[in-house]
Amino acid sequence: DKAVKHVLEQLKYPDAFLNGLMQLYTYPEMDCFDEIEFLDGRIFERYSIPQRIGDEIVGRVFSFRDVTRRKQMEEQLLQQATCDPLTGLPNRILLKDRIDQEIKHAKRQHSKVAILFFDLDRFKIVNDSLGHNVGDSLLQVVSQRLKGCIREGDTLARWGGDEFIIVLTNIKYREQVIPIISLCQEALEEIFLIDNRSISITSSVGASFYPMDGTNATVLLKNADAAMYCAKADGRNNYRFYNPQMNAKAVEQLALAADLHKALEKQEFFLLYQPMVDLKTHKIVSVEALIRWLHPVRGLISPLEFIEVAEETGLIPLIGEWVIKTACIQNRRWQSLGLDPIKVAVNVSGIQFKQDNIVQVVETALAEAKLAPQYLNLELTESSIMGDTQTYIYAMNALKKLGVGLVIDDFGTGYSSLSYLKRFPVNKIKIDKSFVRDIHIDEDDKAIVQAIIAMAQQLKLRVVAEGVETREQLTFLQTHHCDEIQGFYFSPPINAKELGQMLRQQQKNGYLMRSNQDTIKPVLHKRLDDN
């Protein structure tokens, strides 16, 4: 009748409602407790028991209660407990449950489960330079892009921070995941437009597989994480499959990070200095300060091994501040010995340069050392200043006003164009050693180096060639009017005392002294190209 029809039209599952009523007619002695969902979102609990007079059932008693609010709260609590609030993706709790379920399925089907551990390369720089709001927006778009790269039955979860997990099911062999990894990485390499800012990122990926690399979620995730760290250590923007040796490397990295916190306090860092030689005056005009870590147990540690760890742990600003102060004090010390003044160049991390106090740090270092600002250069890598150019330009202008020199390091390896270069108030660019290595035999490298020198001359910038190791490289650079060179052909990085001796000999003799392993020999006829 009309009343029944009216009720059914409001229900989300009318057929189930009718089937339930028919079952009560069939089994009149049965108690009933269930829920009824309406199309408008309301939910009612329904409780029904037979009505008896004596031993005879004469009808039924129904009780209804609106539990919509309670259900909404329960659903909200479940959502909060199992989903990431920023991206809406499954969180760690739900992820582990999904992995365990997929392992049970794979065990029955004799198949494999793949765990892909994604980490966004240098995401901390985005957060530090552009703010957490931009970082959060970027993570939301990243999750959408990754979601578009996987199959319907696969799981995408946010592990935390800038880390995402993909669980791939019904895998027959390991290489089957490579196209999926490539698809995801390519999707993340496309430029992100966040708050009218163009952001470029890459990702490092580690993969582990059930049952070869673990038989439960905890072990598989730990091993995929170890593989991801190896992918990062091998240059980022790539992937690695787990192997047992990786766990030892991951433990070593954690220990390195812990020791790094104590290294400054225990004064385990020291500086070496590598000369830069003017090709017109044939004299050392500048030195680059290079940090080294003398670990009490591990021995000498290269910055290639610990600078990235320092950036990830947030220690790089403190370490960078120490380098600037130490280099300034040493340069002033050389001057106080009566040596001809030279510039000292210090590498500055992009993270440190984004700090609000970078100008104050430099001012304080110069004041404490009593060093005039024209004798300090700050070097920034080309790739590190491409993210938020306006912020960099503001800091650069303040430092230039202070009188400090600014240098773009590793030039040619980033993505800067002439229009970018014109906006930066820099004094000098350094050609990356990868272009210098084969300039005497590689036509492409020759063309690149010539073009950089010509461009710099037009912009009235000085040019330094890094990594000069052979006479052939030197001859090419002299022929094409490079301003300065730096490299093992003249001197490796040496300590402050040795550099002081070299400067004193240069001042005494009027020409450059070339370092050759453990001995120092004069350049004949006072000319570099006669040696």
Side-chain angles (χ1 to χ4, degrees):
D1 61 9
K2 289 184 179 181
V4 174
K5 183 180 179 182
H6 176 70
V7 170
L8 294 177
E9 286 176 346
Q10 297 184 63
L11 299 181
K12 191 172 182 180
Y13 305 108
D15 291 341
F17 179 79
L18 287 174
N19 290 336
L21 289 178
M22 292 302 297
Q23 193 173 28
L24 292 178
Y25 279 112
T26 306
Y27 304 100
E29 73 284 356
M30 183 176 69
D31 289 354
C32 169
F33 181 81
D34 61 0
E35 292 179 352
I36 302 172
E37 295 186 52
F38 289 79
L39 291 173
D40 60 8
R42 290 177 299 155
I43 302 174
F44 280 73
E45 282 184 351
R46 178 179 62 174
Y47 181 49
S48 176
I49 59 174
Q51 183 182 16
R52 289 182 169 86
I53 297 178
D55 293 332
E56 183 182 358
I57 296 176
V58 296
R60 297 196 69 82
V61 177
F62 286 88
S63 171
F64 296 89
R65 183 171 61 164
D66 189 339
V67 293
T68 307
R69 180 62 178 161
R70 192 193 78 196
K71 286 292 181 180
Q72 288 173 343
M73 292 180 64
E74 289 175 354
E75 187 175 338
Q76 186 177 356
L77 290 173
L78 180 62
Q79 176 82 4
Q80 291 173 349
T82 59
C83 291
D84 171 54
L86 178 65
T87 63
L89 297 176
N91 63 10
R92 295 188 180 200
I93 296 172
L94 184 55
L95 172 66
K96 288 185 175 182
D97 180 70
R98 294 266 182 94
I99 294 174
D100 289 336
Q101 294 301 318
E102 294 302 339
I103 287 174
K104 291 177 183 177
H105 177 76
K107 192 179 294 185
R108 292 192 299 268
Q109 299 296 321
H110 303 289
S111 61
K112 297 176 176 61
V113 178
I115 309 298
L116 306 182
F117 202 118
F118 280 75
D119 182 271
L120 305 184
D121 298 326
R122 299 191 183 280
F123 176 76
K124 190 176 188 304
I125 295 178
V126 176
N127 257 352
D128 291 344
S129 60
L130 302 182
H132 289 276
N133 288 338
V134 173
D136 287 349
S137 297
L138 178 60
L139 291 173
Q140 290 171 332
V141 181
V142 164
S143 68
Q144 293 301 315
R145 288 193 185 180
L146 289 176
K147 194 180 295 184
C149 295
I150 60 176
R151 303 167 300 183
E152 187 175 343
D154 298 327
T155 296
L156 170 64
R158 185 182 178 205
W159 185 246
D162 61 332
E163 297 172 331
F164 294 84
I165 306 293
I166 293 177
V167 183
L168 302 176
T169 60
N170 297 319
I171 301 298
K172 299 300 181 184
Y173 51 91
R174 298 200 313 172
E175 290 70 22
Q176 191 177 340
V177 307
I178 295 176
I180 300 173
I181 293 175
S182 298
L183 184 65
C184 291
Q185 289 189 312
E186 288 170 6
L188 297 184
E189 286 176 26
E190 295 180 12
I191 296 294
F192 292 81
L193 188 62
I194 309 291
D195 288 354
N196 295 320
R197 298 177 184 271
S198 295
I199 301 174
S200 177
I201 62 169
T202 57
S203 60
S204 298
V205 186
S208 65
F209 299 83
Y210 167 85
M212 302 90 77
D213 302 325
T215 56
N216 61 62
T218 301
V219 174
L220 287 169
L221 288 164
K222 177 174 72 72
N223 291 341
D225 187 21
M228 180 274 294
Y229 271 103
C230 286
K232 269 189 175 297
D234 290 342
R236 298 188 179 93
N237 196 26
N238 55 29
Y239 69 89
R240 291 291 180 269
F241 289 168
Y242 171 77
N243 65 61
Q245 289 75 33
M246 290 177 174
N247 274 330
K249 190 169 183 179
V251 170
E252 184 180 348
Q253 285 292 97
L254 288 173
L256 190 70
D259 290 346
L260 198 58
H261 280 81
K262 308 170 189 173
L264 265 179
E265 177 186 337
K266 295 184 176 181
Q267 300 182 341
E268 294 171 0
F269 294 119
F270 66 96
L271 296 182
L272 296 178
Y273 301 89
Q274 188 170 32
M276 296 179 220
V277 179
D278 187 301
L279 290 180
K280 289 182 180 177
T281 65
H282 313 300
K283 289 186 177 182
I284 298 171
V285 292
S286 182
V287 294
E288 181 178 0
L290 300 165
I291 189 171
R292 298 292 186 266
W293 181 9
L294 186 58
H295 191 281
V297 177
R298 301 166 184 256
L300 190 63
I301 302 178
S302 163
L304 293 175
E305 298 180 56
F306 69 82
I307 289 298
E308 183 180 336
V309 178
E311 290 179 341
E312 292 177 350
T313 55
L315 290 173
I316 197 65
L318 289 175
I319 294 174
E321 183 175 346
W322 177 86
V323 174
I324 293 173
K325 287 184 177 181
T326 305
C328 287
I329 290 171
Q330 182 56 61
N331 199 14
R332 183 68 185 90
R333 190 171 293 154
W334 285 322
Q335 292 182 13
S336 67
L337 293 173
L339 299 174
D340 292 336
I342 61 171
K343 297 178 185 292
V344 63
V346 175
N347 293 289
V348 181
S349 162
I351 293 175
Q352 183 186 7
F353 205 81
K354 290 288 188 182
Q355 301 289 309
D356 293 336
N357 67 338
I358 181 63
V359 178
Q360 182 183 346
V361 166
V362 173
E363 283 182 314
T364 302
L366 291 169
E368 290 182 1
K370 296 182 174 60
L371 181 71
Q374 63 263 33
Y375 298 118
L376 174 64
N377 283 344
L378 299 181
E379 296 188 358
L380 298 106
T381 60
E382 181 187 11
S383 57
S384 72
I385 60 178
M386 290 300 108
D388 185 15
T389 55
Q390 197 55 48
T391 302
Y392 273 103
I393 290 170
Y394 178 82
M396 284 180 170
N397 283 328
L399 290 165
K400 185 176 183 180
K401 186 177 180 181
L402 184 64
V404 173
L406 298 166
V407 182
I408 296 184
D409 195 10
D410 298 341
F411 191 82
T413 60
Y415 304 97
S416 64
S417 63
L418 183 59
S419 62
Y420 269 115
L421 194 57
K422 286 170 62 179
R423 296 171 61 193
F424 295 133
V426 298
N427 311 93
K428 183 187 295 187
I429 59 175
K430 298 179 75 173
I431 304 173
D432 187 69
K433 59 187 176 183
S434 63
F435 300 110
V436 175
R437 185 182 303 115
D438 297 322
I439 51 174
H440 56 296
I441 57 174
D442 188 290
E443 294 300 322
D444 290 338
D445 286 343
K446 287 181 181 180
I448 291 171
V449 171
Q450 286 180 253
I452 292 175
I453 293 173
M455 176 187 66
Q457 289 173 344
Q458 290 295 317
L459 294 173
K460 295 180 172 55
L461 301 176
R462 288 183 66 80
V463 184
V464 184
E466 297 182 294
V468 178
E469 298 180 354
T470 69
R471 172 65 179 273
E472 292 78 13
Q473 293 168 344
L474 171 63
T475 301
F476 179 91
L477 293 165
Q478 283 180 311
T479 302
H480 293 88
H481 310 292
C482 183
D483 296 304
E484 300 173 28
I485 58 158
Q486 176 183 356
F488 276 63
Y489 184 72
F490 291 101
S491 175
I494 55 179
N495 64 38
K497 182 179 180 180
E498 292 172 317
L499 198 283
Q501 291 172 349
M502 187 180 288
L503 292 174
R504 188 169 296 283
Q505 287 293 329
Q506 174 178 281
Q507 185 169 313
K508 176 182 177 181
N509 298 330
Y511 52 81
L512 174 70
M513 307 297 290
R514 176 183 167 200
S515 169
N516 182 12
Q517 296 180 350
D518 296 328
T519 63
I520 298 178
K521 298 179 180 179
V523 179
L524 301 179
H525 308 303
K526 304 180 185 180
R527 289 181 56 81
L528 298 178
D529 52 0
D530 287 336
N531 185 35

